[in-house]
Amino acid sequence: MQSPIFAYNEQQTQERWSLQNKQMLRVALEGHDDILARKGTMVAYQGLVEFDAEFQSNQQSRARAQTGEGLDLMRCHGQGTVYLANLKQHVHVMEVDHDGLTVDSSYVLAMDSSLHHEVIAVDSLYGISGSGKYQLNITGRGKVALMTSGMPLALQVTPDKYVNCDADAIVAWSTGLRVQMQAQTHSSGVWRRRGSTGEGWELSFMGTGFALVQPSELLPPQNAQIGSGLAAQYGMGQQGARGQNQGNAWS
């Protein structure tokens, strides 16, 4: 049998984490160092690989119920190769180190099981009840695979160069950055989009690090629970706008 389709062979590499192509992740398992992957994202595997639902602590379950932020994970372990993908989204492998990574959980495809994750919250400029945004903070040392709708843009943040990103387009940022949620309007019009431009809430980043944005303000097409009411209507991020202090872990 002959066909150009057979040109899409397995990628040969010595790397444990690698991309089979722009939309598919390849992870080699060697009997240790399990990985955690979003449930239902395995598209193929080779070898003796097992998949188990990952246990959620009571604290993680409460945070998920209260904020909508969190991860439905499965543990992949054994010896072999596993391929992960989700609705043709672009996949990017990042190394998490002591700086940490803050990310919208909807964009996480997989991570090393050695990494720790917890829910934090970003405060709004106006201190209005219900005007903040919850995110996931990932710490430790290891790899994490993120998904974006299209090819992303990594913006460098420096002390003399602030970066502002649409709350519906931001994917992740360096945990060490100072973050403020704001609307470019006066407080009495905070629930209205800016004039007739269609722009709403933004995240302002200060310090040293990076901010990763995708070329889309649409929610990720992965059946993740989305916000509703005023929060969703006025562009305040996927989980809507909620008022908490940035950097405070959910407890």
Short mmCIF file of all heavy atoms in Angstrom, two decimals, residues 126 165-169 181-203 216-219 227-238 240-241:
data_model
loop_
_atom_site.label_atom_id
_atom_site.label_comp_id
_atom_site.label_asym_id
_atom_site.label_seq_id
_atom_site.Cartn_x
_atom_site.Cartn_y
_atom_site.Cartn_z
N TYR A 126 -10.31 47.68 40.80
CA TYR A 126 -11.40 48.43 41.42
C TYR A 126 -11.85 47.88 42.76
O TYR A 126 -12.63 48.50 43.45
CB TYR A 126 -12.59 48.50 40.44
CG TYR A 126 -12.22 49.19 39.17
CD1 TYR A 126 -11.82 48.47 38.06
CD2 TYR A 126 -12.22 50.58 39.09
CE1 TYR A 126 -11.44 49.10 36.89
CE2 TYR A 126 -11.84 51.22 37.92
CZ TYR A 126 -11.46 50.48 36.83
OH TYR A 126 -11.08 51.11 35.68
N CYS A 165 -2.40 42.49 28.57
CA CYS A 165 -2.96 41.44 27.73
C CYS A 165 -4.46 41.33 27.97
O CYS A 165 -4.94 41.51 29.10
CB CYS A 165 -2.31 40.08 28.03
SG CYS A 165 -0.53 40.03 27.78
N ASP A 166 -5.20 41.01 26.92
CA ASP A 166 -6.62 40.76 27.04
C ASP A 166 -6.84 39.55 27.96
O ASP A 166 -6.17 38.52 27.82
CB ASP A 166 -7.22 40.49 25.66
CG ASP A 166 -8.73 40.43 25.69
OD1 ASP A 166 -9.28 39.47 26.27
OD2 ASP A 166 -9.38 41.33 25.12
N ALA A 167 -7.78 39.67 28.89
CA ALA A 167 -8.03 38.60 29.85
C ALA A 167 -8.52 37.32 29.18
O ALA A 167 -8.41 36.24 29.76
CB ALA A 167 -9.03 39.06 30.90
N ASP A 168 -9.06 37.41 27.97
CA ASP A 168 -9.54 36.23 27.26
C ASP A 168 -8.50 35.63 26.33
O ASP A 168 -8.73 34.57 25.74
CB ASP A 168 -10.79 36.58 26.44
CG ASP A 168 -11.97 36.93 27.34
OD1 ASP A 168 -12.08 36.33 28.41
OD2 ASP A 168 -12.75 37.82 26.96
N ALA A 169 -7.34 36.30 26.16
CA ALA A 169 -6.30 35.80 25.27
C ALA A 169 -5.08 35.29 26.03
O ALA A 169 -4.28 34.53 25.48
CB ALA A 169 -5.87 36.88 24.28
N MET A 181 -5.54 43.10 37.49
CA MET A 181 -6.64 43.04 36.53
C MET A 181 -7.29 44.41 36.47
O MET A 181 -7.57 45.02 37.49
CB MET A 181 -7.66 41.99 36.96
CG MET A 181 -8.64 41.63 35.86
SD MET A 181 -9.58 40.15 36.27
CE MET A 181 -10.39 39.85 34.71
N GLN A 182 -7.51 44.92 35.27
CA GLN A 182 -8.03 46.27 35.14
C GLN A 182 -8.87 46.41 33.88
O GLN A 182 -8.79 45.61 32.97
CB GLN A 182 -6.87 47.28 35.10
CG GLN A 182 -5.95 47.08 33.91
CD GLN A 182 -4.75 48.02 33.97
OE1 GLN A 182 -4.47 48.65 35.00
NE2 GLN A 182 -4.05 48.14 32.87
N ALA A 183 -9.68 47.45 33.87
CA ALA A 183 -10.45 47.82 32.68
C ALA A 183 -10.07 49.25 32.33
O ALA A 183 -9.95 50.11 33.21
CB ALA A 183 -11.95 47.73 32.95
N GLN A 184 -9.84 49.52 31.06
CA GLN A 184 -9.45 50.86 30.63
C GLN A 184 -10.68 51.76 30.53
O GLN A 184 -11.11 52.17 29.47
CB GLN A 184 -8.72 50.79 29.29
CG GLN A 184 -7.38 50.10 29.37
CD GLN A 184 -6.40 50.86 30.23
OE1 GLN A 184 -6.52 52.07 30.40
NE2 GLN A 184 -5.42 50.18 30.78
N THR A 185 -11.24 52.02 31.70
CA THR A 185 -12.43 52.85 31.78
C THR A 185 -12.54 53.37 33.20
O THR A 185 -11.82 52.91 34.09
CB THR A 185 -13.70 52.05 31.41
OG1 THR A 185 -14.83 52.91 31.45
CG2 THR A 185 -13.90 50.90 32.36
N HIS A 186 -13.38 54.35 33.46
CA HIS A 186 -13.53 54.84 34.83
C HIS A 186 -14.41 53.88 35.61
O HIS A 186 -15.16 53.07 35.03
CB HIS A 186 -14.12 56.26 34.84
CG HIS A 186 -15.39 56.39 34.06
ND1 HIS A 186 -16.61 56.07 34.60
CD2 HIS A 186 -15.61 56.78 32.78
CE1 HIS A 186 -17.55 56.27 33.69
NE2 HIS A 186 -16.98 56.70 32.59
N SER A 187 -14.34 53.94 36.91
CA SER A 187 -14.97 52.93 37.76
C SER A 187 -16.48 52.84 37.56
O SER A 187 -17.06 51.77 37.69
CB SER A 187 -14.66 53.22 39.24
OG SER A 187 -15.12 54.50 39.60
N SER A 188 -17.14 53.95 37.26
CA SER A 188 -18.60 53.89 37.10
C SER A 188 -19.01 53.12 35.87
O SER A 188 -20.14 52.67 35.75
CB SER A 188 -19.17 55.32 37.03
OG SER A 188 -18.67 55.98 35.87
N GLY A 189 -18.08 52.95 34.93
CA GLY A 189 -18.38 52.20 33.71
C GLY A 189 -17.65 50.88 33.65
O GLY A 189 -17.44 50.33 32.58
N VAL A 190 -17.25 50.35 34.82
CA VAL A 190 -16.39 49.17 34.84
C VAL A 190 -17.07 47.94 34.22
O VAL A 190 -16.41 47.06 33.69
CB VAL A 190 -15.95 48.86 36.29
CG1 VAL A 190 -17.13 48.42 37.13
CG2 VAL A 190 -14.85 47.81 36.31
N TRP A 191 -18.41 47.87 34.26
CA TRP A 191 -19.09 46.70 33.72
C TRP A 191 -19.37 46.84 32.22
O TRP A 191 -19.95 45.94 31.62
CB TRP A 191 -20.40 46.45 34.47
CG TRP A 191 -20.16 46.12 35.91
CD1 TRP A 191 -20.51 46.87 37.00
CD2 TRP A 191 -19.51 44.97 36.43
NE1 TRP A 191 -20.11 46.25 38.15
CE2 TRP A 191 -19.50 45.08 37.84
CE3 TRP A 191 -18.92 43.85 35.85
CZ2 TRP A 191 -18.93 44.12 38.67
CZ3 TRP A 191 -18.35 42.90 36.67
CH2 TRP A 191 -18.36 43.03 38.06
N ARG A 192 -18.98 47.96 31.62
CA ARG A 192 -19.19 48.13 30.19
C ARG A 192 -17.87 47.96 29.45
O ARG A 192 -16.82 48.38 29.94
CB ARG A 192 -19.75 49.53 29.89
CG ARG A 192 -21.10 49.81 30.51
CD ARG A 192 -21.74 51.02 29.83
NE ARG A 192 -20.88 52.20 29.93
CZ ARG A 192 -20.96 53.08 30.94
NH1 ARG A 192 -21.81 52.90 31.92
NH2 ARG A 192 -20.17 54.14 30.96
N ARG A 193 -17.92 47.38 28.28
CA ARG A 193 -16.71 47.31 27.47
C ARG A 193 -16.28 48.72 27.07
O ARG A 193 -17.09 49.63 27.02
CB ARG A 193 -16.94 46.46 26.21
CG ARG A 193 -16.95 44.97 26.51
CD ARG A 193 -17.00 44.16 25.23
NE ARG A 193 -16.92 42.74 25.52
CZ ARG A 193 -15.80 42.04 25.60
NH1 ARG A 193 -14.64 42.67 25.46
NH2 ARG A 193 -15.82 40.76 25.83
N ARG A 194 -14.98 48.89 26.81
CA ARG A 194 -14.41 50.20 26.57
C ARG A 194 -15.03 50.87 25.35
O ARG A 194 -14.76 50.51 24.22
CB ARG A 194 -12.90 50.06 26.37
CG ARG A 194 -12.15 51.37 26.37
CD ARG A 194 -10.72 51.16 25.96
NE ARG A 194 -10.17 49.97 26.58
CZ ARG A 194 -9.07 49.36 26.13
NH1 ARG A 194 -8.46 49.83 25.08
NH2 ARG A 194 -8.60 48.30 26.73
N GLY A 195 -15.90 51.87 25.64
CA GLY A 195 -16.54 52.60 24.54
C GLY A 195 -17.25 51.64 23.61
O GLY A 195 -17.99 50.76 24.02
N SER A 196 -17.00 51.80 22.32
CA SER A 196 -17.57 50.91 21.31
C SER A 196 -16.51 50.04 20.68
O SER A 196 -16.69 49.50 19.60
CB SER A 196 -18.26 51.75 20.22
OG SER A 196 -17.32 52.63 19.61
N THR A 197 -15.35 49.86 21.38
CA THR A 197 -14.25 49.09 20.79
C THR A 197 -14.42 47.59 20.96
O THR A 197 -13.77 46.81 20.29
CB THR A 197 -12.92 49.49 21.45
OG1 THR A 197 -12.93 49.09 22.82
CG2 THR A 197 -12.68 50.99 21.34
N GLY A 198 -15.27 47.16 21.90
CA GLY A 198 -15.43 45.74 22.16
C GLY A 198 -14.38 45.20 23.11
O GLY A 198 -14.38 44.01 23.43
N GLU A 199 -13.45 46.04 23.59
CA GLU A 199 -12.42 45.59 24.52
C GLU A 199 -12.93 45.69 25.94
O GLU A 199 -13.63 46.64 26.30
CB GLU A 199 -11.15 46.43 24.35
CG GLU A 199 -10.50 46.30 22.98
CD GLU A 199 -10.04 44.90 22.68
OE1 GLU A 199 -9.78 44.14 23.63
OE2 GLU A 199 -9.94 44.55 21.48
N GLY A 200 -12.57 44.72 26.77
CA GLY A 200 -13.04 44.69 28.14
C GLY A 200 -11.91 44.68 29.14
O GLY A 200 -11.10 45.59 29.19
N TRP A 201 -11.80 43.60 29.92
CA TRP A 201 -10.83 43.52 30.99
C TRP A 201 -9.46 43.09 30.48
O TRP A 201 -9.34 42.33 29.53
CB TRP A 201 -11.31 42.54 32.05
CG TRP A 201 -12.41 43.10 32.89
CD1 TRP A 201 -13.72 43.24 32.53
CD2 TRP A 201 -12.30 43.61 34.21
NE1 TRP A 201 -14.44 43.80 33.55
CE2 TRP A 201 -13.58 44.03 34.60
CE3 TRP A 201 -11.24 43.73 35.11
CZ2 TRP A 201 -13.84 44.58 35.85
CZ3 TRP A 201 -11.49 44.27 36.35
CH2 TRP A 201 -12.78 44.69 36.72
N GLU A 202 -8.43 43.59 31.15
CA GLU A 202 -7.05 43.28 30.79
C GLU A 202 -6.28 42.86 32.03
O GLU A 202 -6.67 43.17 33.16
CB GLU A 202 -6.36 44.51 30.19
CG GLU A 202 -7.04 45.07 28.95
CD GLU A 202 -6.45 46.41 28.55
OE1 GLU A 202 -5.64 46.96 29.34
OE2 GLU A 202 -6.79 46.90 27.46
N LEU A 203 -5.16 42.15 31.81
CA LEU A 203 -4.21 41.88 32.87
C LEU A 203 -2.96 42.70 32.59
O LEU A 203 -2.44 42.66 31.47
CB LEU A 203 -3.86 40.38 32.95
CG LEU A 203 -5.00 39.44 33.34
CD1 LEU A 203 -4.48 38.02 33.47
CD2 LEU A 203 -5.65 39.87 34.64
N SER A 216 -6.26 34.37 19.78
CA SER A 216 -7.69 34.08 19.83
C SER A 216 -8.23 34.55 21.16
O SER A 216 -7.58 34.39 22.19
CB SER A 216 -7.95 32.58 19.66
OG SER A 216 -9.30 32.28 19.91
N GLU A 217 -9.42 35.12 21.16
CA GLU A 217 -10.10 35.47 22.40
C GLU A 217 -11.26 34.53 22.66
O GLU A 217 -12.10 34.80 23.52
CB GLU A 217 -10.57 36.93 22.33
CG GLU A 217 -9.45 37.93 22.23
CD GLU A 217 -9.95 39.35 22.21
OE1 GLU A 217 -10.86 39.66 22.98
OE2 GLU A 217 -9.42 40.16 21.43
N LEU A 218 -11.31 33.45 21.90
CA LEU A 218 -12.35 32.44 22.10
C LEU A 218 -11.93 31.50 23.19
O LEU A 218 -10.75 31.27 23.43
CB LEU A 218 -12.59 31.66 20.80
CG LEU A 218 -13.06 32.49 19.60
CD1 LEU A 218 -13.19 31.59 18.38
CD2 LEU A 218 -14.40 33.15 19.90
N LEU A 219 -12.90 30.91 23.89
CA LEU A 219 -12.58 29.95 24.93
C LEU A 219 -12.03 28.68 24.30
O LEU A 219 -12.39 28.31 23.18
CB LEU A 219 -13.83 29.62 25.74
CG LEU A 219 -14.49 30.82 26.42
CD1 LEU A 219 -15.68 30.35 27.23
CD2 LEU A 219 -13.51 31.54 27.31
N GLY A 227 -17.48 30.56 32.38
CA GLY A 227 -18.20 31.49 33.22
C GLY A 227 -19.54 31.86 32.60
O GLY A 227 -19.83 31.54 31.45
N SER A 228 -20.36 32.56 33.36
CA SER A 228 -21.67 32.94 32.86
C SER A 228 -22.04 34.32 33.40
O SER A 228 -21.31 34.91 34.18
CB SER A 228 -22.73 31.91 33.31
OG SER A 228 -22.78 31.84 34.71
N GLY A 229 -23.15 34.84 32.95
CA GLY A 229 -23.63 36.12 33.45
C GLY A 229 -22.75 37.27 33.01
O GLY A 229 -22.15 37.26 31.94
N LEU A 230 -22.64 38.30 33.86
CA LEU A 230 -21.90 39.51 33.51
C LEU A 230 -20.44 39.20 33.23
O LEU A 230 -19.83 39.79 32.34
CB LEU A 230 -21.99 40.52 34.66
CG LEU A 230 -23.32 41.23 34.85
CD1 LEU A 230 -23.26 42.12 36.07
CD2 LEU A 230 -23.68 42.03 33.61
N ALA A 231 -19.85 38.26 33.98
CA ALA A 231 -18.43 37.97 33.81
C ALA A 231 -18.13 37.52 32.39
O ALA A 231 -17.21 38.01 31.74
CB ALA A 231 -18.01 36.88 34.80
N ALA A 232 -18.91 36.55 31.89
CA ALA A 232 -18.67 36.06 30.54
C ALA A 232 -19.08 37.10 29.50
O ALA A 232 -18.41 37.27 28.48
CB ALA A 232 -19.45 34.77 30.33
N GLN A 233 -20.14 37.84 29.77
CA GLN A 233 -20.67 38.77 28.79
C GLN A 233 -19.70 39.92 28.52
O GLN A 233 -19.59 40.41 27.40
CB GLN A 233 -22.00 39.35 29.29
CG GLN A 233 -22.67 40.33 28.32
CD GLN A 233 -23.98 40.83 28.87
OE1 GLN A 233 -24.43 40.40 29.92
NE2 GLN A 233 -24.58 41.74 28.15
N TYR A 234 -18.96 40.32 29.55
CA TYR A 234 -18.12 41.50 29.40
C TYR A 234 -16.64 41.18 29.30
O TYR A 234 -15.79 42.00 29.57
CB TYR A 234 -18.38 42.48 30.54
CG TYR A 234 -19.76 43.09 30.42
CD1 TYR A 234 -20.80 42.64 31.20
CD2 TYR A 234 -20.01 44.09 29.49
CE1 TYR A 234 -22.08 43.17 31.06
CE2 TYR A 234 -21.27 44.62 29.34
CZ TYR A 234 -22.30 44.17 30.13
OH TYR A 234 -23.54 44.69 30.00
N GLY A 235 -16.29 39.95 28.90
CA GLY A 235 -14.91 39.64 28.58
C GLY A 235 -13.97 39.70 29.76
O GLY A 235 -12.96 40.39 29.72
N MET A 236 -14.25 38.94 30.81
CA MET A 236 -13.41 38.99 32.00
C MET A 236 -12.70 37.67 32.21
O MET A 236 -12.48 37.23 33.33
CB MET A 236 -14.23 39.33 33.23
CG MET A 236 -14.91 40.68 33.10
SD MET A 236 -15.99 41.00 34.45
CE MET A 236 -16.76 42.51 33.89
N GLY A 237 -12.31 37.01 31.15
CA GLY A 237 -11.59 35.76 31.29
C GLY A 237 -12.54 34.59 31.35
O GLY A 237 -13.74 34.72 31.58
N GLN A 238 -11.99 33.41 31.15
CA GLN A 238 -12.82 32.23 31.02
C GLN A 238 -13.67 31.96 32.24
O GLN A 238 -14.83 31.56 32.14
CB GLN A 238 -11.92 31.03 30.76
CG GLN A 238 -12.72 29.74 30.70
CD GLN A 238 -11.82 28.57 30.53
OE1 GLN A 238 -10.72 28.72 30.06
NE2 GLN A 238 -12.29 27.41 30.89
N GLY A 240 -14.65 34.13 34.38
CA GLY A 240 -15.33 35.32 34.81
C GLY A 240 -14.46 36.15 35.74
O GLY A 240 -13.28 35.90 35.91
N ALA A 241 -15.03 37.16 36.34
CA ALA A 241 -14.27 38.07 37.18
C ALA A 241 -14.64 37.85 38.63
O ALA A 241 -15.78 37.86 39.00
CB ALA A 241 -14.56 39.51 36.78
#
